[in-house]
Amino acid sequence: MEQESWFRNKINWFTFIFSILVVWVHSANGELFLGQTEEAGRVIAFERFLGGTIGQIAVPGFFMLSGYLFYRNFGWERLGKKWNSRIHTVLVPFLLWNGIYYLGYVIGSRLPVVTDIVEKGKVPFDWYSAVEALIRYTYNYVFWYLYQLILLILLAPVLYGILRQRLLGGAALCVFFFLAQEGVIVPYLNLDALFYYSLAAYGGIHGAWLIEGGWSEGRQRAGMCIIAAAVVTLMVTWPEGIVDRVIFRTLMPIGLWLIIEEKELPMAPWWMTYNFYLYAVHFALVRLINKTAARFFSGYWPLPVILFLLMPVIMVWFSSTTGIQIKKRWPKLWFLLNGGR
């Protein structure tokens, strides 16, 4: 039981770290504040490194965690139970948050001051637009991740049928990796997401002993080597056709997982368990803060960098402050807003 507690605590830490990185991905503001200037170029370069390179391991990390947790201790007899669980933790929150964002944009686009910041004109309020917003996350762009996750969950019978066979599953992962590298596009399904999710699913089926086997010096050395290899992929000039981003974004979460000893992690505080809520609310709030600040303090260096660096702190404060109130007053609503967590 202790091992399970350590494992779950490690999951909380990793989802929190990935959530912070996602905030940085969406917090770029150099051009908003400084326009097309040399100063803006330096700010943009810094923000691209932190948010556009380091931060981009977050979503692959989320897909890996989701894939592993779905297929951990999985069997055909558990498929119905897993699907039913994901209705409450993925599908319903997906629809609920898409609806909240849609109504927010409908209202905001009709308020004179907010309209200029939203920059979407007057958002139509009708049944067609509402249904499209719910299903296609029209006004909630960050939920492309949940949309892809829903598709991958629905593909469970196919994926499990392939991945549970070691050789066939390994060959399938090679094919998925090749397709992601080539940038192949198929309708609806993101092939990068398919690869990250399936790789972790394969680990959940065949490699739980390695992933949950407890920390050791050998695991730490392996993790450090994997992280070093990830860094090298960004420094090497690869032959045409090799996409280093897929390699880097695959290796970094794996390396980090291996080097961190779960027994040494302190128990995640309560506000670290609000990660789904943080992920859901941050996008609109980050844009609102950046655009509003840029309107009143345009050209004020180094404000954009300070705001960029502090944005995760602001988002964690906001999500924990509002989240605890919602949880106390409307616990059932909170369960849905925080993805059943």
Side-chain angles (χ1 to χ4, degrees):
M1 194 63 188
E2 249 187 354
Q3 187 63 40
E4 181 68 17
S5 176
W6 290 330
F7 172 74
R8 292 292 173 180
N9 185 53
K10 191 172 183 178
I11 292 289
N12 284 334
W13 272 94
F14 268 73
T15 52
F16 177 74
I17 292 168
F18 290 153
S19 297
I20 293 302
L21 292 178
V22 166
V23 172
W24 267 325
V25 170
H26 298 128
S27 297
N29 56 15
E31 193 171 335
L32 271 175
F33 278 86
L34 304 172
Q36 300 288 336
T37 63
E38 186 177 332
E39 216 168 41
R42 290 194 292 270
V43 172
I44 291 169
F46 169 73
E47 292 178 348
R48 278 181 180 168
F49 172 74
L50 191 54
T53 301
I54 304 301
Q56 288 294 343
I57 71 170
V59 173
F62 279 135
F63 277 119
M64 289 182 186
L65 290 178
S66 298
Y68 184 82
L69 290 174
F70 190 92
Y71 288 96
R72 181 181 185 237
N73 303 320
F74 189 81
W76 287 117
E77 72 283 356
R78 300 198 66 193
L79 178 59
K81 185 178 179 181
K82 289 276 188 177
W83 269 349
N84 184 60
S85 151
R86 268 47 178 192
I87 288 173
H88 299 94
T89 60
V90 179
L91 179 60
V92 174
F94 173 77
L95 297 173
L96 177 62
W97 275 109
N98 287 344
I100 291 171
Y101 265 79
Y102 171 62
L103 289 176
Y105 272 100
V106 166
I107 295 169
S109 68
R110 286 161 171 77
L111 300 176
V113 177
V114 182
T115 301
D116 295 336
I117 297 173
V118 171
E119 295 179 345
K120 284 190 175 294
K122 192 174 183 180
V123 174
F125 185 51
D126 54 62
W127 284 109
Y128 177 82
S129 300
V131 171
E132 185 180 45
L134 289 176
I135 298 174
R136 296 303 302 271
Y137 54 93
T138 314
Y139 299 95
N140 188 13
Y141 308 118
V142 295
F143 267 31
W144 75 270
Y145 160 72
L146 279 189
Y147 179 81
Q148 290 299 316
L149 189 56
I150 290 168
L151 296 181
L152 291 166
I153 290 169
L154 290 174
L155 285 173
V158 177
L159 289 178
Y160 183 63
I162 296 171
L163 297 175
R164 72 191 184 99
Q165 303 178 60
R166 288 182 182 273
L167 291 178
L168 180 60
L173 290 177
C174 292
V175 172
F176 296 160
F177 176 75
F178 173 78
L179 294 175
Q181 283 281 337
E182 291 294 307
V184 175
I185 297 175
V186 299
Y188 303 110
L189 189 62
N190 182 297
L191 294 181
D192 288 39
L194 174 64
F195 170 67
Y196 302 132
Y197 184 88
S198 299
L199 179 65
Y202 188 86
I205 297 167
H206 302 292
W209 59 273
L210 174 62
I211 297 166
E212 299 181 48
W215 184 90
S216 67
E217 289 186 2
R219 280 167 59 94
Q220 186 184 49
R221 285 193 293 269
M224 292 175 69
C225 289
I226 290 171
I227 290 174
V231 173
V232 168
T233 62
L234 298 180
M235 302 169 63
V236 172
T237 302
W238 293 90
E240 187 176 350
I242 300 295
V243 183
D244 59 4
R245 63 176 174 80
V246 179
I247 303 171
F248 175 77
R249 296 174 190 179
T250 302
L251 294 180
M252 280 299 290
I254 295 173
L256 289 172
W257 182 271
L258 291 176
I259 67 171
I260 295 177
E261 183 178 2
E262 46 271 21
K263 293 180 184 179
E264 294 300 318
L265 284 173
M267 289 304 296
W270 59 270
W271 44 268
M272 272 193 186
T273 64
Y274 289 9
N275 294 315
F276 188 95
Y277 179 67
L278 169 62
Y279 183 85
V281 300
H282 86 274
F283 184 67
L285 196 56
V286 163
R287 287 171 63 87
L288 180 64
I289 292 172
N290 270 333
K291 287 189 173 184
T292 304
R295 172 160 294 201
F296 292 102
F297 302 102
S298 178
Y300 282 80
W301 161 263
L303 182 58
V305 175
I306 294 172
L307 194 55
F308 175 83
L309 292 173
L310 288 179
M311 200 65 81
V313 177
I314 297 169
M315 292 302 107
V316 170
W317 171 81
F318 177 85
S319 63
S320 59
T321 303
T322 58
I324 194 66
Q325 294 302 319
I326 298 171
K327 187 176 182 179
K328 285 180 179 178
R329 298 179 184 186
W330 305 288
K332 291 183 179 178
L333 174 62
W334 171 251
F335 181 80
L336 297 177
L337 291 176
N338 199 39
R341 294 157 181 84

